Amino acid sequence: MNENELFQAALGLLPPWQVDRCTFDKATGRLDIHLDFPRGSFFACPVCGVPCKAHDTSERTWRHLNFFQHQAFLHARTPRVECSQCGVHVVAVPWARSGSGFTLLFEALVMMMAKAMPVIAVGRIVNEHDTLIWRIVTHYVDAARAKADHSTVTQVGVDETASRRGQKYVSLFVDLDERKVLFATPGKDAATVAAFAADLQAHGGNPEAVTEVSADMSKAFSKGIAASLPNAKVTFDKFHVVRLVNDAVDEVRRLEQKTNPELAKSRYVWLKNPENLTEGQWEKFDALDIVNSHLKTARAYQIRLTFQDLFNQPADKAKAYLDKWYFWATHSRLPPIIKVAKTIRKHQDGILRWFISGINNGILEGINSLVQAAKAKARGYRSDRNLATIIYLIVGKLDLSPLPT
Ligand SMILES: [Zn+2]
C-alpha cells in the first residue's frame, strides 16, 4: 500500500474518488491531500440519480481533521453534470455538505467539542474563528430541530433564565415527560407562550393537547397560557412558591436587623431547611437561640417551614392545611408574611393543582443548572440566538444523525 492508497483507505473514499497526491509542507506544518477522479467517470445526477459524465469542474478546498498536530486540507475539482432530464447541477461530494468549507468529519469533531466546552474554546483549539464554529453548530442544530417531532407533548414546564448578567431573559419550554427543551426564546412575557404554541404546531404538536403546565406565578405567563394553551391547567411550581415565602422571611430579617444587629450575618441560615444546615450554621442558630427567642425572624421561619410541609400532606387534607396556614400567617403581625400569604391565597388553585398533576419544575431546575453551566462556559455567545442554539444542543435531545461518528 503506497501513501496515496493509505490516505484513500483512511478517508474511506469510494470510486470514482481517489487520492491523487499528498504534499506535506514542513515549514508550515500543513498537509494537503489532493483528490481526483479518472477521466470519463460517471456521477449520479443530484436530482434524478441517473449516472452522467462530468460536464465541467471547479476547484474546491475543505479543512479536514488535523493530521497529528498538523492542519490538513482536502482539495478536489468538484464536477457538475449535465443531465439530459434535469440540466446542469453540481455533484455532491461524499466528504462534505454543500456550501461548507469543512469536511463532515471536521464538523463532527466540532459538534462533539461544542457539547463539552465554549464555542470560543473550540475555535481556539481547531484554530478557526468562532463565528465559523457558530455557523457549523447553528447549521446542525437548526437542521435537527427542523426534523424534531413534538406531536406527543402534553405536559410542559416553563421557566426563564437570565441570558446576560442581570436584565435580559430567555424563556425555556420543557417537555416534562421527555425531559428536554422544546423551545427557547428571548423574553418572559405572554408573547413567549404564543411563540411556543406556534413552534409546537410547526413540529407536529397541538397547543390544545397540552393539558398540564408548570410555571411560576408571573401574570405574564398565566395570561399567555390562558390565551395560547387553552386546555392547560396550571400548576404553580412549588419551588417558586416556596422561594416567595423564603423572600418574605428574608425581608422580615432585614427589617428586624435594624434593632437586632446579631441577625446581620445569619441570612443564609434562614434560607435553608434545618436538615440542610451546616455545622457552622447550626452554631449561628444556637447563638441566636431561636427556639426560645422572640425574634420575628424565627417566627417567620417557622411559618415558612410549615408552609413547605403543605407538600407532604395527603391530597384530601391539603386544602384544609393551607387554610389553617393562611389563618396563622395572616395573623402573624409580620407584614411581609401577610403579604405573601395573600399572594398564595390568590393563587391557591394552581398551588393545590400539584396534588392532582404531580408536576413541578424540578426537571426544569435540573435543566436550568445545565444551562447555567453552559452559559458559564459559553462566554461570548454573542447573541440570544446563539444561547438558544447551545441550549438546544445540550438539553434538546436532538438527533444530529447525519453526522459521521
Ligand atoms: Zn437528472
mmCIF file of all heavy atoms in Angstrom, residues 45-50 52 83-87 89, ligand 1:
data_model
loop_
_atom_site.group_PDB
_atom_site.id
_atom_site.type_symbol
_atom_site.label_atom_id
_atom_site.label_comp_id
_atom_site.label_asym_id
_atom_site.label_seq_id
_atom_site.Cartn_x
_atom_site.Cartn_y
_atom_site.Cartn_z
ATOM 1 N N CYS A 45 -26.661 12.097 -11.148
ATOM 2 C CA CYS A 45 -27.314 13.415 -11.187
ATOM 3 C C CYS A 45 -27.941 13.664 -9.817
ATOM 4 O O CYS A 45 -28.665 12.803 -9.301
ATOM 5 C CB CYS A 45 -28.402 13.425 -12.260
ATOM 6 S SG CYS A 45 -29.588 14.765 -12.074
ATOM 7 N N PRO A 46 -27.647 14.814 -9.167
ATOM 8 C CA PRO A 46 -28.165 15.043 -7.809
ATOM 9 C C PRO A 46 -29.688 15.158 -7.761
ATOM 10 O O PRO A 46 -30.271 15.073 -6.682
ATOM 11 C CB PRO A 46 -27.481 16.344 -7.374
ATOM 12 C CG PRO A 46 -26.941 16.970 -8.602
ATOM 13 C CD PRO A 46 -26.795 15.906 -9.650
ATOM 14 N N VAL A 47 -30.325 15.321 -8.907
ATOM 15 C CA VAL A 47 -31.785 15.450 -8.908
ATOM 16 C C VAL A 47 -32.464 14.093 -9.136
ATOM 17 O O VAL A 47 -33.273 13.653 -8.323
ATOM 18 C CB VAL A 47 -32.258 16.466 -9.978
ATOM 19 C CG1 VAL A 47 -33.785 16.593 -9.941
ATOM 20 C CG2 VAL A 47 -31.600 17.821 -9.755
ATOM 21 N N CYS A 48 -32.090 13.398 -10.235
ATOM 22 C CA CYS A 48 -32.809 12.158 -10.568
ATOM 23 C C CYS A 48 -31.979 10.904 -10.326
ATOM 24 O O CYS A 48 -32.510 9.789 -10.346
ATOM 25 C CB CYS A 48 -33.295 12.190 -12.011
ATOM 26 S SG CYS A 48 -31.957 12.030 -13.228
ATOM 27 N N GLY A 49 -30.667 11.036 -10.098
ATOM 28 C CA GLY A 49 -29.840 9.884 -9.771
ATOM 29 C C GLY A 49 -29.264 9.147 -10.963
ATOM 30 O O GLY A 49 -28.466 8.221 -10.794
ATOM 31 N N VAL A 50 -29.622 9.538 -12.146
ATOM 32 C CA VAL A 50 -29.085 8.878 -13.344
ATOM 33 C C VAL A 50 -27.593 9.187 -13.482
ATOM 34 O O VAL A 50 -27.180 10.330 -13.291
ATOM 35 C CB VAL A 50 -29.861 9.357 -14.603
ATOM 36 C CG1 VAL A 50 -29.097 9.039 -15.884
ATOM 37 C CG2 VAL A 50 -31.246 8.739 -14.626
ATOM 38 N N CYS A 52 -24.212 10.303 -14.915
ATOM 39 C CA CYS A 52 -23.876 11.228 -16.007
ATOM 40 C C CYS A 52 -22.372 11.463 -15.995
ATOM 41 O O CYS A 52 -21.715 11.321 -14.961
ATOM 42 C CB CYS A 52 -24.545 12.590 -15.817
ATOM 43 S SG CYS A 52 -26.310 12.540 -15.543
ATOM 44 N N CYS A 83 -27.333 16.632 -16.992
ATOM 45 C CA CYS A 83 -28.303 15.544 -17.141
ATOM 46 C C CYS A 83 -29.275 15.912 -18.263
ATOM 47 O O CYS A 83 -29.729 17.053 -18.333
ATOM 48 C CB CYS A 83 -29.041 15.353 -15.814
ATOM 49 S SG CYS A 83 -30.359 14.145 -15.883
ATOM 50 N N SER A 84 -29.601 14.928 -19.089
ATOM 51 C CA SER A 84 -30.485 15.232 -20.217
ATOM 52 C C SER A 84 -31.884 15.611 -19.710
ATOM 53 O O SER A 84 -32.614 16.341 -20.354
ATOM 54 C CB SER A 84 -30.558 14.027 -21.155
ATOM 55 O OG SER A 84 -31.000 12.907 -20.414
ATOM 56 N N GLN A 85 -32.257 15.118 -18.517
ATOM 57 C CA GLN A 85 -33.577 15.432 -17.969
ATOM 58 C C GLN A 85 -33.572 16.711 -17.123
ATOM 59 O O GLN A 85 -34.505 17.494 -17.177
ATOM 60 C CB GLN A 85 -34.052 14.273 -17.076
ATOM 61 C CG GLN A 85 -34.260 12.964 -17.796
ATOM 62 C CD GLN A 85 -35.292 13.092 -18.908
ATOM 63 O OE1 GLN A 85 -36.371 13.645 -18.711
ATOM 64 N NE2 GLN A 85 -34.929 12.625 -20.108
ATOM 65 N N CYS A 86 -32.504 16.879 -16.321
ATOM 66 C CA CYS A 86 -32.565 17.890 -15.253
ATOM 67 C C CYS A 86 -31.643 19.091 -15.481
ATOM 68 O O CYS A 86 -31.657 20.043 -14.686
ATOM 69 C CB CYS A 86 -32.219 17.267 -13.903
ATOM 70 S SG CYS A 86 -32.925 15.646 -13.654
ATOM 71 N N GLY A 87 -30.827 19.059 -16.476
ATOM 72 C CA GLY A 87 -29.937 20.191 -16.713
ATOM 73 C C GLY A 87 -28.633 20.064 -15.955
ATOM 74 O O GLY A 87 -28.270 18.984 -15.488
ATOM 75 N N HIS A 89 -26.054 20.428 -12.915
ATOM 76 C CA HIS A 89 -26.069 20.500 -11.447
ATOM 77 C C HIS A 89 -24.716 20.128 -10.861
ATOM 78 O O HIS A 89 -24.027 19.266 -11.407
ATOM 79 C CB HIS A 89 -27.123 19.555 -10.870
ATOM 80 C CG HIS A 89 -28.519 19.999 -11.145
ATOM 81 N ND1 HIS A 89 -29.136 20.981 -10.406
ATOM 82 C CD2 HIS A 89 -29.402 19.631 -12.097
ATOM 83 C CE1 HIS A 89 -30.342 21.175 -10.884
ATOM 84 N NE2 HIS A 89 -30.543 20.378 -11.920
HETATM 85 ZN ZN ZN B 1 -31.142 14.126 -13.680
#
